[in-house]
Amino acid sequence: MPGFLNRIPSYWIFQAIGWGMFIIVNTFFAITFDRYNTDFIGRLITFVGIGLIFSHIMRDVIKRTRILQRSLNEQVVGFLLITLFFAAVVGFLDTLLTSSFDILIEQEKELTATEMVISHSFYAFVYLFMWNCIYFIYHYIDKSRSQQFDTLKLQALVKELELKTIKSHINPHFIFNALNSIRALIDENPARARDAITELSNILRSSMQSENQETVPLERELNIVKDYLALEHIRFEDRLKVQYEIDEDTLSQPVPPMMLQTLVENAIKHGISKYENGGIVKIISDFRGKNHELIVQNTGKLNGGMNKSGFGLHSTASRLGLLFGNNARFEIHDTTDNLVEAKVSIPVQ
């Protein structure tokens, strides 16, 4: 039985429920007020039959004229005009049939034909008006839900495309800088250059594994950063000092792939490399309330020297916004006269 009902269009189910309720309510009042007789049954069958047929025709007119695709004002006007027209048709036919079969109630026998048509048309208008209200409301809600679903699909598609676009820039951006580091070592120290190539291979392998992921565990991201810093240490030697303050409980927290590496890369490019004596890069990972904070500190100053709208920092802010909305924050500022801090705050997962 449930399988059979699933094959019946919802429109006919609603029609059956609506007119069935009409029959039940009218029969209840007819019995209550002692008006249940053969004339009542004849009138009820006549009106329900006409109403069912012409409400279906009215639906077909609504669909053919595409009223539901028009502006709200045009829908209201069309709604009223169609209801008036079909109420008049139903009223006329109801009067014709009830008069022909002599199933009029006592009050109607004293009316002229015109008055009877007007009376029947008025009642038909009330019921058809209710029918149309339900029909229009149903389709309005259905249309709104469809639009919301389409909007969500579009937003998801846009986010996916934006994330893929950002990712497609991050890897070439990193490779370009890494290859520059290796190129600087080839003539000076070929053995170390080979080591640098091995480090780069490790980084690229890890990066490619996370290419199809929007987030990765911090531990995996941290391993990429350590490989990157090992590669950069070959170039900077003792000028680059690295410190870690990592809460082990944060290692399983999800972070955007290559994000931490981007911040560290910026710290070296715009901080350490600007100073003859180099400096310190410090990576901190800890919990602050309900947030997971990732902090990269480096020797240096902003002072316009680090472009906040540059690709690396801009991509970081964009990715956080796409993945976590307003729940994530990214900021970069001077903490002392010679220390820059980039901080990422992500909701704890």
Side-chain angles (χ1 to χ4, degrees), residues 135-199:
Y135 184 81
F136 273 73
I137 290 172
Y138 171 84
H139 282 278
Y140 177 80
I141 294 173
D142 185 63
K143 184 179 179 181
S144 297
R145 289 176 60 187
S146 297
Q147 288 177 340
Q148 289 176 355
F149 181 71
D150 290 342
T151 300
L152 289 174
K153 285 176 61 179
L154 179 61
Q155 289 175 347
L157 178 61
V158 169
K159 285 189 176 184
E160 181 182 355
L161 291 175
E162 288 181 342
L163 284 168
K164 287 182 178 179
T165 301
I166 290 170
K167 282 184 177 181
S168 69
H169 283 81
I170 285 177
N171 289 336
H173 183 72
F174 160 70
I175 294 171
F176 175 78
N177 286 282
L179 289 176
N180 274 341
S181 299
I182 294 172
R183 185 179 62 181
L185 295 174
I186 291 176
D187 294 331
E188 297 178 8
N189 195 327
R192 289 196 176 185
R194 285 193 295 272
D195 291 339
I197 292 173
T198 301
E199 297 289 349

Side-chain angles (χ1 to χ4, degrees), residues 148-279:
Q148 289 176 355
F149 181 71
D150 290 342
T151 300
L152 289 174
K153 285 176 61 179
L154 179 61
Q155 289 175 347
L157 178 61
V158 169
K159 285 189 176 184
E160 181 182 355
L161 291 175
E162 288 181 342
L163 284 168
K164 287 182 178 179
T165 301
I166 290 170
K167 282 184 177 181
S168 69
H169 283 81
I170 285 177
N171 289 336
H173 183 72
F174 160 70
I175 294 171
F176 175 78
N177 286 282
L179 289 176
N180 274 341
S181 299
I182 294 172
R183 185 179 62 181
L185 295 174
I186 291 176
D187 294 331
E188 297 178 8
N189 195 327
R192 289 196 176 185
R194 285 193 295 272
D195 291 339
I197 292 173
T198 301
E199 297 289 349
L200 178 58
S201 176
N202 291 337
I203 296 169
L204 292 177
R205 185 182 299 110
S206 299
S207 175
M208 290 174 65
Q209 289 174 350
S210 62
E211 181 66 24
N212 295 322
Q213 297 175 285
E214 309 305 350
T215 61
V216 296
L218 173 63
E219 185 173 17
R220 187 187 302 180
E221 177 74 358
L222 198 59
N223 289 336
I224 296 176
V225 169
K226 288 179 178 178
D227 285 337
Y228 171 78
L229 287 172
L231 188 153
E232 289 291 66
H233 195 271
I234 296 174
R235 181 160 65 102
F236 288 99
E237 297 182 334
D238 293 338
R239 294 173 58 207
L240 174 61
K241 298 176 178 62
V242 181
Q243 296 179 2
Y244 297 96
E245 287 186 12
I246 308 296
D247 184 337
E248 291 188 0
D249 291 337
T250 64
L251 292 176
S252 61
Q253 288 296 303
V255 297
M258 303 300 291
M259 183 192 70
L260 182 59
Q261 186 275 334
T262 300
L263 296 179
V264 172
E265 182 181 348
N266 273 287
I268 292 177
K269 180 179 179 182
H270 298 286
I272 308 304
S273 65
K274 303 294 183 183
Y275 290 84
E276 184 178 348
N277 296 324

